[in-house]
Amino acid sequence: MGYSCTGASSISSAIGKGNDALSYLNKLFGKFLSTTTMYKESGPVIETPLSGAQSIHDMLLQSWGGKIRIFPAIPDAWKDITYSGLRTEGAFKVSASRKKGKTQFIHIKSLAGEPCIITTDIVNPIFKGERDFTIQPLENNTYQIDLKKGEEVFISPKGEEPEFIISPIPHTSKNYFGLKIIQ
């Protein structure tokens, strides 16, 4: 039963419905997983928690149909997000950061020289690297970048100079491993 939550979450992410994706995951976490991340419906199994982890990845980054989708299904509640070094189809290494619900930057490194087509929510992005890239705008905030093997591109909103630094997001939720005793 819990596996259905992860499937529904990933399907929601594939169609860009981040709030629905999170809602399905919250059902999984609330009803079917213990605080140790082990599945508690019918015995000590690991496939459903692993599928839950993949569902989170699907909210953050997707690569299918020849495109890399950065932050494709972010729920409204997730204002600040960072990740570093996630891999995609075509052998790309992707890092990205959002603050206050807005994408600050994307960093992509090509490990194999495959065609690089990205979809981003950045309006009027600029593309920087060690050389001037040929950028071909496609439909729906999608761009083809002539990124060669070993090259890196930094993408950010035009007119902004973000710090290209990945740093931890402050922890704001409950401590599941015990509260400190106040005496």
Side-chain angles (χ1 to χ4, degrees):
M1 288 175 21
Y3 196 76
S4 298
C5 296
T6 65
S9 177
S10 288
I11 290 168
S12 296
S13 291
I15 58 174
K17 295 186 176 265
N19 290 328
D20 292 346
L22 181 59
S23 176
Y24 287 116
L25 278 181
N26 283 337
K27 289 176 189 173
L28 171 73
F29 297 141
K31 187 174 181 182
F32 299 108
L33 296 183
S34 72
T35 56
T36 64
T37 71
M38 291 302 290
Y39 193 59
K40 64 183 180 181
E41 180 184 359
S42 64
V45 295
I46 192 65
E47 62 272 10
T48 299
L50 292 175
S51 182
Q54 180 59 48
S55 295
I56 294 169
H57 288 160
D58 291 341
M59 297 164 80
L60 302 174
L61 181 67
Q62 298 174 22
S63 62
W64 50 271
K67 294 179 189 172
I68 300 168
R69 294 157 180 86
I70 296 130
F71 298 129
I74 302 303
D76 295 336
W78 293 5
K79 299 296 183 196
D80 298 335
I81 304 168
T82 61
Y83 58 80
S84 178
L86 295 183
R87 308 301 172 106
T88 68
E89 291 179 4
F92 295 98
K93 187 175 168 185
V94 180
S95 301
S97 178
R98 283 173 67 95
K99 291 184 181 171
K100 299 179 183 173
K102 184 178 174 190
T103 302
Q104 300 295 301
F105 72 84
I106 302 162
H107 171 248
I108 301 172
K109 181 173 185 177
S110 174
L111 303 176
E114 293 293 315
C116 182
I117 299 173
I118 65 145
T119 299
T120 177
D121 63 347
I122 297 175
V123 178
N124 297 318
I126 58 169
F127 302 81
K128 291 184 179 179
E130 291 195 12
R131 67 176 175 92
D132 290 334
F133 297 106
T134 300
I135 308 300
Q136 180 180 353
L138 306 172
E139 74 289 336
N140 301 324
N141 297 327
T142 301
Y143 303 88
Q144 184 165 351
I145 309 163
D146 71 328
L147 200 59
K148 294 177 176 43
K149 182 179 180 178
E151 289 185 329
E152 302 176 60
V153 62
F154 292 88
I155 306 164
S156 60
K158 186 176 184 176
E160 296 182 24
E161 291 293 327
E163 291 184 15
F164 292 99
I165 298 173
I166 298 290
S167 57
I169 302 297
H171 187 286
T172 58
S173 66
K174 181 181 198 178
N175 177 3
Y176 287 103
F177 299 101
L179 299 173
K180 292 182 179 181
I181 297 174
I182 300 173
Q183 298 188 17

